[in-house]
Amino acid sequence: MTTNRMLPFSPAGRLIAVIAALFLSALALMAGAAQAAEPVKISRDDTALDLTATTEIYANQGEAFQVSTAAGADGIRRRIEVRSSSDNHQGDWAVFALANVSDEQLERVIVAPHFRLVNSKLFWPDLGSQRIIAITPSEGFALDRQPSDEADVFRITLNPGAVITFVAELATPELPQIYLWEPDAYKDTINAFTLYRGIVLGIAGLLAVFLTILFVVKGTSMLPATAALAWAVLGYICVDFGFLGKLVSIASADQRIWRACAEVALASSFVIFLFTYLNLNRWHTHLGYLTLAWVLGLALLFGVAIYDPSIAAGVARLSFALTATLGLLLIVYLGLNRYDRAILLVPAWGLILVWIFGAWLTITGRLDNDIIQPALGGGLVLIVLLIGFTVMQHAFAGGAFQQGLFSDLERQSLALTGSGDMVWDWDVARDRVVTIPDVSVKLGLSPGAMHGAARNWLPRLHPDDRDRFRATLDVLLEHRRGRLNHEFRIRAEDGHFHWLLIRARPVLGSNGEVIRCVGTVVDVTEQKNSIDRLLQDALHDNLTGLPNRQLFLDRLQGVLALAPGGETLRPTVMVIDIDRYKLVNDALGIAAGDNILIALTRRLRRLLKPQDTLARLSGDQFGLILTSERDPAKIADFADAVSKAIMVPINFANREIILTASIGLASFVDQQENASGMLSDAELAMYRAKRAGGNRVEPFQPAFRDFGADRLQLESDLRRALERKELSMVYQPIAGLEDVEIAGFEALMRWEHPKRGSIPPSEFIPIAEASDIINMLGIFALEQATNDLMGWENQTGELPIFVSINLSSAQLLNNELYDDVRSVLAKTHCDPSRLKLELTESMVMENPEQARLVLEKLKDIGLGLALDDFGTGYSSLAYLTRFPFDTIKLDKALVCDTSDRKSTVLRAVISMARELDMKVVAEGIESNDDAIELAKMGCTYGQSYLFGPPMASESVLRLLKERFPLTKRA
């Protein structure tokens, strides 16, 4: 375990401490002990700092390491001792110091890349490994490692004015680079490089596959060599970009082996390509032997890479440079001898030389920018791309087809064959039909079965098409002009019908009579089926096959048009909405939800008579036109049967699912009714049933229309309320039950409407949650509450109070909540520990995992979290341990109940909360005796009208000045 020991200094003995520190420093110098480097100063605006130059490396220092810290704010240097935390430690240490010169807490990450091509050297290169095992600060515990496959990343927090010395336990004596990043800037940089790497990898992969396909299609020798080079480049950048680690599990030591093998493969394929492309064996036989020996030697390096990757990689890098140099000499020599292949390779080889020069500058440390390494990877892909174009240009040169001239007859014949159409030839004089190719085979008949008299086609035609087919041919023969353009259905041997389209024209003889009719036959079955499917999909639901909303309205309008004609037709419209269907979808998946809708469709269909209509109006909403019943009692019985059919349990994946439905019902009243209006009335009734808790049937009442209009108007007014400053915050006191002193306030929102007066939150908050207004209201409440809190402190001085702010479910599930809270805190300079966010159990139930992640992030920045209305919902005790709540608020229904059982439950809940180190707030306390009794139980706070009603900010300020007179500023 890593340990950290520091000698404390009391303020009274500061002079003695200074003398002692100087004495210890002198002893350390005499003993050759390590001295801390000067601290690197960090401000809020520093996003990335290179700590390499200021980091001191101490090699072979053993398992225990002592070092003097950098001078703190008091100018005193201290001594710390750090012990090794890993068996793999070789006694190498690194020391650096950081100083926060800003007036705020700073979050930073320390990053040590595992591999850097920069300054990795040509011979015995550094191929990367884990750099830092652990980091111990001079204050606090060892730093937490952040997950990363490419670097050692540690997160640190620097308090304002802090000077901290860090001791890093090294896995190797080399530490090529160490950075200090602002977390968001480091994340953005990683994301940017990830996008770039993905694009380069995609291009390299496509290029390798394309060149491989070309090798298969055109088997010239240069194509497999080029494809091998492309695959080697792909393998190299997969290792260099860390993509290989995403595919297979690679240990830190194995990375060096893979990197060395990739460089050996790149060097080997480079030699093979040069030899194959320039066809060197035709110039001299010994060049072939030399190349073979060279490639075999490089192949042996794969074995060497397992035992010593650095040697293998160094030889591969040297081979790559020698190949480029020899290739340049060969290209110049062969180009002067007018060898076309060599001349075509000049642009690509020039790019290779530029790349090698850049790589040499990088590995020797002359170029040290972080962009160089990924840029060189992209450069390799560009080189292969240019080589690929060069190879294709040579491989396919002169390979074009020799095209002759076609006659018009031949061209028409080729066009007809290419289109896939059949020739239809009717010899009218002999009454013989011939098709080429034979349509009989397409229909599953014996060859030539459809050849013969035209009347032989009639028995196989669809009954609805026979008369039209015969009449069309008769008209063509009678008029002796025009074109035949006719669609018909013909039965195949398997019983299915095919749609055929005949396009033909008559050929007249010397006597002016039709002697022949020649054209084409096209099978248009797929087109016809596609049209039928489109028509079906346009008017029916794809999942259930039920009519959709448009067809439902059309049928309803048709029924309403017939309704005024007699008393026997009086339609009733029902809108059926499945309660909690979204929860089922979220829990079991979309596929399960679709299967449930299909099952419900089958159940509802069994209840209908032929004259009734069932449709799917939207996701989990069905519409029903009931015309088979007119009696109100029977209609009510039918609606009840629908509700019971939906409530029958559904078994899915060994789970029993029970659903309920909210049903709105609208009956025919007069002949002025229209389909859309009647459906709208039924939907209003359904929404009223859903607001009443669901699982009920609600008949339509005209008053529902006014409610819907009022709701829309209220939503419109609420959107403008913020701009008109109609919203305000009031604060209800929360008192400590031990001393009955003000401990905090709960912020409550109020809306003073210019026409309707005061509107309670219970009326406008649900409207805001059903739209996008709730996020704006949440930000307003947070900003107003923090501004008021800071305003009170400016008038009275620092106060021991907190402010609780209610959170809605829409805000909790919003991905921007965390950023919004941080923005408000930064703007108002409010201490996060002075704020509490309150939320109910039902909010957490909507998406527990998302809620947990958001709440943990809010808790990390210092906000308090309270579970409101505890005792009214599920009251799952698991929430108190699974979620980071620090306060629970007991509902007044639990507090005010005087029964013995509820009193026992109340005591148990308070005791449990205290065991979990949580505060308890009791709501709705009605008397002083109840407050005293709750205090004896261990309840921390109370909130009710007993301690004060909700009041405006000015009233709170007067109350605070009265209660805390000593905090007033002079």
Side-chain angles (χ1 to χ4, degrees), residues 687-824:
Y687 288 130
R688 176 57 66 97
K690 187 168 284 292
R691 282 194 297 272
N695 191 21
R696 59 186 293 155
V697 179
E698 188 74 42
F700 170 75
Q701 301 177 23
F704 293 173
R705 295 173 182 163
D706 297 334
F707 177 82
D710 289 346
R711 183 182 179 91
L712 292 175
Q713 183 62 45
L714 201 61
E715 180 179 339
S716 177
D717 292 344
L718 186 57
R719 290 184 181 277
R720 294 190 292 267
L722 283 170
E723 302 174 3
R724 298 174 178 176
K725 297 183 179 180
E726 298 171 5
L727 296 172
S728 61
M729 302 298 294
V730 296
Y731 304 89
Q732 185 172 25
I734 300 175
L737 296 182
E738 289 290 337
D739 53 5
V740 197
E741 188 58 80
I742 297 296
F745 296 89
E746 179 180 1
L748 305 171
M749 189 176 294
R750 295 291 183 263
W751 181 14
E752 193 66 29
H753 194 280
K755 295 182 179 179
R756 299 180 55 177
S758 180
I759 300 178
S762 60
E763 186 172 344
F764 68 82
I765 291 297
I767 296 176
E769 289 180 338
S771 62
D772 58 348
I773 311 175
I774 189 62
N775 293 324
M776 294 186 291
L777 294 185
I779 295 175
F780 166 77
L782 188 61
E783 287 184 347
Q784 189 64 42
T786 51
N787 283 327
D788 287 343
L789 177 60
M790 300 308 293
W792 300 335
E793 290 200 349
N794 289 337
Q795 296 292 325
T796 62
E798 187 172 349
L799 298 172
I801 62 172
F802 60 86
V803 174
S804 294
I805 305 167
N806 289 286
L807 202 65
S808 75
S809 58
Q811 289 176 271
L812 182 62
L813 300 180
N814 186 0
N815 294 328
E816 299 178 356
L817 174 63
Y818 175 72
D819 295 332
D820 290 340
V821 171
R822 291 192 61 183
S823 175
V824 170

